[in-house]
Amino acid sequence: MNYISPTAISDRGLELLSATFWFSVLATFLLCVAGYSSSSQSSSLKPYVTGNFVHDWWFGIQLNPHFLGIDLKFFFVRAGMMGWLLINLSILARSILNATLSQSMILYQTFCAIYVLDYFIHEEYMTSTWDIIAERLGFMLVFGDLVWIPFTFSIQGWWLLTNKAELTTAATIANCLVFVIGYLVFRGSNKQKHMFKKNNKALIWGKPPKVVGGKLLASGYWGIARHCNYLGDLLLALSFSLPCGISSPIPYFYPMYLLILLIWRERRDDARCAEKYKDIWAEYTKLVPWRILPYVY
Ligand code: NDP
């Protein structure tokens, strides 16, 4: 209806990036102030508040803050996922207007759109993930949701706006396969864990689950490696970059970053679970020795 140009976002990427960055700095500051003042009012938490500045500052960062009844953690993740899709759609509009729409762009756009829509369909599974149960809502999460997700996950799209990649039929088929396998592993493993948390007798691949110490799932994807869900996500990230070919490393920034992030996160999660589950975790790690990729890591 000509109210706003569909290329408004793709034409002003840097301005939006800068505005979103400063918004997340401001949002983090407000979250810390709100968290600090609410913890100061709670007498049971007072001993911690009298510690040093770093401790107080850290203490101000809450696990699951709410504002006007809205869960801010979910709010920011949703904003980030929607922002990513909007950026991509705007990039798509720009490439159509420039008459440079390519097969690579269509593949990249399709994979990402499925990933984002799938997030909203299965958002309930998020409630048993690390970000929700263990990560405090400070700068890392706010910046990650509002700036990192929409802008770095769309790097391949920005790159394809100004660069070309010729894909053979075999490469296109291989790319689709990486996406499909990544999706099945990612979605399947996250779903299995979520279902298990709700009902530890729920069937896994049609069989009763193998359970360690009554608490940990050791069959299905969770019997192959301790974080198959990370493996699936990494394959998906790779499938978003493969449409760009291999002439430049820039489109591979996202899978490379995710590889580092997930290896680091797996180590943190492992330490957390070892402390929480003690002997049960040791038994599970003996039973399932691979962390992410069987026979490699
Ligand atoms: P997980 O969903 O794997 O959650 C880890 C938690 O699950 C553990 O702390 C533990 O929590 C529980 N758990 C671990 N092993 C078992 C088991 N065998 N049986 C039962 N419970 C178990 O981790 P994340 O939240 O890090 O990841 C969720 C998804 O989000 C992944 O697919 C990941 O790839 C994706 N992700 C994507 C990112 C991106 O930038 N694209 C960034 C981060 C994550 P408890 O104490 O409840 O038992």
Side-chain angles (χ1 to χ4, degrees):
M1 288 182 280
N2 281 340
Y3 288 131
I4 184 164
S5 159
T7 61
I9 299 176
S10 56
D11 293 343
R12 293 179 185 79
L14 279 181
E15 290 95 319
L16 275 168
L17 174 65
S18 144
T20 324
F21 172 79
W22 288 110
F23 177 79
S24 42
V25 171
L26 179 68
T28 310
F29 176 72
L30 294 176
L31 279 168
C32 284
V33 171
Y36 185 78
S37 51
S38 71
S39 59
S40 302
Q41 283 159 15
S42 162
S43 57
S44 63
L45 299 174
K46 277 224 163 94
Y48 296 95
V49 182
T50 53
N52 61 35
F53 173 75
V54 176
H55 197 143
D56 287 352
W57 180 254
W58 166 246
F59 194 75
I61 305 172
Q62 295 175 300
L63 186 62
N64 280 107
H66 283 64
F67 180 65
L68 299 176
I70 296 169
D71 182 314
L72 291 179
K73 237 186 213 177
F74 269 106
F75 181 81
F76 286 135
V77 186
R78 285 176 183 175
M81 296 299 275
M82 286 186 214
W84 178 20
L85 187 59
L86 283 178
I87 289 177
N88 276 359
L89 290 176
S90 187
I91 289 173
L92 180 66
R94 172 46 65 211
S95 87
I96 292 171
L97 287 178
N98 288 355
T100 56
L101 183 62
S102 60
Q103 186 194 353
S104 297
M105 181 65 93
I106 294 170
L107 278 178
Y108 166 74
Q109 291 282 346
T110 309
F111 295 157
C112 294
I114 293 174
Y115 187 88
V116 175
L117 295 176
D118 177 80
Y119 165 84
F120 285 101
I121 293 169
H122 296 107
E123 196 181 39
E124 183 201 337
Y125 301 164
M126 278 290 287
T127 52
S128 57
T129 61
W130 166 280
D131 280 349
I132 302 298
I133 58 178
E135 201 77 85
R136 290 166 187 244
L137 187 60
F139 183 71
M140 189 176 77
L141 267 196
V142 176
F143 175 81
D145 289 341
L146 295 184
V147 183
W148 201 255
I149 291 182
F151 289 96
T152 58
F153 291 21
S154 55
I155 280 181
Q156 300 91 323
W158 296 106
W159 187 87
L160 284 169
L161 264 186
T162 48
N163 296 276
K164 262 190 170 176
E166 296 296 334
L167 294 184
T168 62
T169 311
T172 307
I173 293 171
N175 193 172
C176 292
L177 273 178
V178 173
F179 175 78
V180 171
I181 294 169
Y183 177 79
L184 292 176
V185 176
F186 168 78
R187 186 44 68 222
S189 50
N190 283 321
K191 184 177 178 178
Q192 280 180 354
K193 188 189 67 177
H194 190 73
M195 292 305 169
F196 174 77
K197 293 275 177 201
K198 279 172 62 173
N199 169 18
N200 68 3
K201 290 190 177 65
L203 296 184
I204 301 290
W205 287 341
K207 289 185 195 149
K210 189 171 177 180
V211 184
V212 179
K215 289 184 179 156
L216 294 169
L217 175 62
S219 59
Y221 287 108
W222 299 85
I224 297 173
R226 301 203 295 273
H227 268 108
C228 270
N229 53 347
Y230 291 176
L231 176 65
D233 215 359
L234 287 167
L235 288 174
L236 284 170
L238 181 65
S239 78
F240 300 161
S241 301
L242 288 173
C244 303
I246 49 168
S247 63
S248 165
I250 295 170
Y252 290 85
F253 178 78
Y254 172 50
M256 289 313 292
Y257 135 79
L258 195 64
L259 180 68
I260 295 165
L261 180 135
L262 293 181
I263 287 176
W264 176 55
R265 183 182 280 233
E266 193 281 331
R267 294 274 165 171
R268 292 168 74 206
D269 192 46
D270 188 71
R272 177 182 175 273
C273 290
E275 197 177 321
K276 178 176 174 184
Y277 292 112
K278 301 200 165 54
D279 293 350
I280 303 178
W281 188 254
E283 195 184 325
Y284 176 53
T285 56
K286 253 191 217 150
L287 207 63
V288 186
W290 302 108
R291 291 172 186 270
I292 296 178
L293 181 60
Y295 303 105
V296 177
Y297 180 73

